[in-house]
Amino acid sequence: MPAKILVTEVIAPEGLAALEARGYEVDVKLNLSDSTLRAIIGDYDALIVRSATNVDKALLEAGKNLKVVGRAGVTCDNIDIEAANALDIIVCNAPTSNIVSAAEHTFALILACARRVPQANQSMHAGNWNREQFKGVELYGKTLALFGLGRVGGAVAERATAFGMRVLAYDPYCNPERATSLGVKLINDLDVILEQADFISVHLPVTSTTENMFGPEEFAKMKTGVIFVNTSRPAILDLNSLADFVAARKIASCGVDVFDDEPCYNSPLHSLPNAIITPHISALTEEAQVRSGVQIADYVWAGLEGSLVPTALTATGSAGEMSRHIAPFVPAANMLGRMVSQIKGSVPRIVKVKMMGNLAELDPTVLVTSVLEGLLSSNYTQCSTMLEAKRYAERHGVDIDCSGTDVAGEYAAGIEIVADDICISSTVFGSEKLPRITSILDYKIDVAPTKHSLIFEYEDMPGVCGIIGTVLGNHGINISTMQIANSDDGTKALVYVNVGKEVSDEIIEEFHEAINLKYLFRISL
């Protein structure tokens, strides 16, 4: 009996034809309610969506036969990847399908704002001929500031250079060599770049550091007469504040393609004649739709056939027996990346990933990708995929080296990362395969990290653990785990403390005053 595939949003006919040609039964059912979709999803082996279908935990659990969820587009914000991973359901996307379309639409908005094309067109259709009313500005010689120099940002940079623009970029985690190759100058001081920009274009994912990145203070620092364009994510900016500055002509014009609630029929920008607004169409070209449809058809087919899925965002996409061994270590690899990022305080230049014990002979790509995502998670990276792991590292100037060894100490398997001079290793334990740190900073320990923890290193002396407990107790912070390790020569000690809540800067300073510390790291996972 052929596998059944449900398609809930419009994808290119070429994609549907590719699936049908492989013998699958493909049902296209549009505009389904959440309850209706949950009621029928159990009959299907695969689900293909775009951005409007909410693929939450409840839907995934209802998909008793579901093996693959394909997103015919770049992001997977509408899919619960964590739940899919737990249910061994592959989630994949088509991450390169709309790069050109998104970059070209960005430039369409830049040009429309600069030359007031929509307003002039509307005036002409109204029977007017008001040339002086639509005096614009040139792009040539002007400064474009790009926030985010990823795939789309890089494509915009290439087009801006062709227009004779000076291109700056704010991307603290971009490889300087990549910026140089694009003819872009990196400026990672927000105030400095805002003051120089004649045009600003945003190409960032939403994370804790980029959400509401542009508000009243940032808009006030911009040049009077700047043109501001956003085709990435609505949560990057305060739309009400943007509207205020556009209305006041501090921002001469804006171009916006994305909104918090879509479809959007009313917003603060709707009534402003110098706001160019479009209904989320940056990826809506014939070419991008065909690419995304065909790509996702190929990846869904690979998933259903048990082959490696190049853009899998879940460990299950590693295929077959490999997945059973690799999947439990994906959270551990991500955890190690996050810890290194917070201990080091910056993105490392050289990262060595070692697969140990039973992992040694397996394809490391999924775990490397998870490490990379962890390394950059506190910045503003999106989920990387297996297909993009190498490009992802290169973009951020990270040199990745992988190796394997049959030796894993007293454990059956483990993973170790060395990031510049920082070394951490981990295994998994118990029926739930929870991550456990087995060594850190050359100290051998055995601890399961919780959400908040502290790592102390100091010249070994009596009473330090008592001081740690007293300070935390005085501030009402519980200790759930405390483990002590000594250096090989016995002169230094490391204390790993799991705590019940985040520790403030004031408490960190109190520790420095009370203990002769070599290092104190605060970790949040």
Side-chain angles (χ1 to χ4, degrees):
M1 185 174 178
K4 294 182 66 176
I5 301 173
L6 176 62
V7 180
T8 61
E9 297 176 64
V10 175
I11 70 168
E14 290 86 348
L16 299 175
L19 292 169
E20 290 169 343
R22 287 169 172 143
Y24 297 127
E25 183 180 332
V26 182
D27 292 339
V28 179
K29 299 184 179 182
L30 309 179
N31 303 315
L32 297 175
S33 67
D34 290 346
S35 58
T36 301
L37 181 54
R38 279 196 300 270
I40 67 173
I41 192 62
D43 296 333
Y44 292 93
D45 301 279
L47 171 66
I48 295 178
V49 302
R50 293 188 65 81
S51 59
T53 304
N54 182 28
V55 186
D56 57 13
K57 183 178 180 181
L59 178 61
L60 292 167
E61 289 176 340
K64 301 301 182 183
N65 296 313
L66 205 57
K67 302 175 183 66
V68 188
V69 176
R71 161 72 162 93
V74 176
T75 62
C76 290
D77 298 344
N78 55 318
I79 302 173
D80 189 334
I81 294 173
E82 184 176 349
N85 210 27
L87 294 166
D88 288 335
I89 297 171
I90 299 169
V91 176
C92 54
N93 61 352
T96 62
S97 58
N98 71 356
I99 296 171
V100 171
S101 297
E104 289 183 353
H105 189 69
T106 297
F107 239 88
L109 290 176
I110 289 173
L111 286 165
C113 289
R115 299 307 302 268
R116 307 190 66 191
V117 174
Q119 298 93 325
N121 175 69
Q122 186 177 30
S123 176
M124 285 287 288
H125 279 284
N128 301 316
W129 184 271
N130 300 317
R131 296 181 65 222
E132 290 302 316
Q133 186 178 343
F134 303 112
K135 185 182 294 183
V137 295
E138 292 184 349
L139 305 190
Y140 181 78
K142 299 299 195 318
T143 297
L144 169 65
L146 297 172
F147 283 80
L149 201 59
R151 295 175 305 232
V152 176
V156 172
E158 291 172 336
R159 286 152 179 77
T161 300
F163 273 85
M165 302 186 81
R166 172 181 177 240
V167 186
L168 311 177
Y170 179 93
D171 191 333
Y173 307 100
C174 177
N175 182 355
E177 293 179 0
R178 169 179 164 77
T180 300
S181 69
L182 290 169
V184 175
K185 181 179 180 181
L186 285 174
I187 297 181
N188 292 322
D189 184 314
L190 189 62
D191 291 348
V192 171
I193 196 168
L194 289 177
E195 291 169 357
Q196 295 188 44
D198 301 300
F199 295 80
I200 292 174
S201 186
V202 182
H203 305 281
L204 298 170
V206 178
T207 70
S208 59
T209 56
T210 64
E211 188 170 7
N212 288 320
M213 186 175 184
F214 293 96
E217 292 184 8
E218 290 71 29
F219 292 132
K221 291 173 182 176
M222 296 176 187
K223 281 184 178 182
T224 298
V226 68
I227 288 174
F228 184 92
V229 171
N230 182 27
T231 58
S232 59
R233 294 288 180 271
I236 300 296
L237 58 89
D238 179 340
L239 194 66
N240 288 316
S241 179
L242 173 63
D244 290 341
F245 280 83
V246 172
R249 303 282 175 164
K250 166 72 175 182
I251 297 175
S253 183
C254 71
V256 175
D257 184 54
V258 288
F259 298 87
D260 288 319
D261 296 313
E262 296 182 357
C264 178
Y265 299 106
N266 188 30
S267 80
L269 299 179
H270 274 66
S271 62
L272 301 177
N274 51 333
I276 312 301
I277 52 179
T278 54
H280 202 159
I281 59 173
S282 61
L284 204 59
T285 62
E286 292 182 7
E287 294 84 355
Q289 299 302 294
V290 170
R291 279 194 295 267
S292 68
V294 171
Q295 285 179 14
I296 207 61
D298 287 342
Y299 301 149
V300 167
W301 168 74
L304 289 173
E305 296 299 311
S307 302
L308 185 72
V309 181
T311 66
L313 293 156
T314 50
T316 311
S318 305
E321 186 69 10
M322 187 194 308
S323 172
R324 186 169 67 85
H325 293 293
I326 287 284
F329 281 87
V330 171
N334 188 269
M335 174 196 73
L336 293 180
R338 287 173 179 267
M339 292 186 72
V340 164
S341 174
Q342 293 172 61
I343 290 172
K344 186 170 177 59
S346 61
V347 176
R349 298 297 92 185
I350 299 174
V351 176
K352 298 180 180 179
V353 180
K354 183 183 292 185
M355 311 272 281
M356 302 185 294
N358 293 342
L359 299 179
E361 300 301 320
L362 301 179
D363 186 339
T365 309
V366 176
L367 295 185
V368 170
T369 301
S370 190
V371 168
L372 285 169
E373 185 180 73
L375 280 171
L376 298 165
S377 62
S378 60
N379 308 324
Y380 52 78
T381 187
Q382 294 174 295
C383 286
S384 60
T385 67
M386 291 186 289
L387 182 66
E388 298 176 295
K390 185 176 179 180
R391 296 176 187 168
Y392 187 55
E394 289 176 349
R395 178 195 161 199
H396 292 86
V398 181
D399 184 11
I400 294 288
D401 177 68
C402 299
S403 63
T405 175
D406 293 334
V407 179
E410 60 265 48
Y411 306 101
I415 178 173
E416 175 189 273
I417 67 171
V418 179
D420 293 343
D421 56 348
I422 297 170
C423 180
I424 310 181
S425 60
S426 176
T427 189
V428 297
F429 75 105
S431 59
E432 296 182 357
K433 303 294 184 183
L434 298 176
R436 198 170 192 94
I437 301 168
T438 56
S439 72
I440 185 168
L441 303 175
D442 298 322
Y443 291 85
K444 186 176 180 180
I445 63 172
D446 186 0
V447 62
T450 59
K451 184 175 182 180
H452 301 294
S453 55
L454 298 171
I455 303 172
F456 301 81
E457 187 181 13
Y458 54 91
E459 298 294 329
D460 198 10
M461 58 178 288
V464 172
C465 291
I467 294 172
I468 292 171
T470 299
V471 171
L472 291 173
N474 289 341
H475 291 277
I477 299 176
N478 291 326
I479 295 175
S480 59
T481 308
M482 177 184 284
Q483 185 165 126
I484 307 166
N486 295 103
S487 61
D488 291 339
D489 61 8
T491 62
K492 295 186 291 296
L494 179 139
V495 176
Y496 193 106
V497 184
N498 284 323
V499 294
K501 63 182 180 180
E502 188 171 1
V503 177
S504 68
D505 292 340
E506 290 74 19
I507 298 175
I508 295 295
E509 184 60 34
E510 190 172 338
F511 280 127
H512 279 288
E513 293 174 357
I515 306 170
N516 183 23
L517 291 169
K518 183 179 180 183
Y519 297 113
L520 172 52
F521 303 110
R522 177 172 43 187
I523 306 296
S524 294
L525 297 174

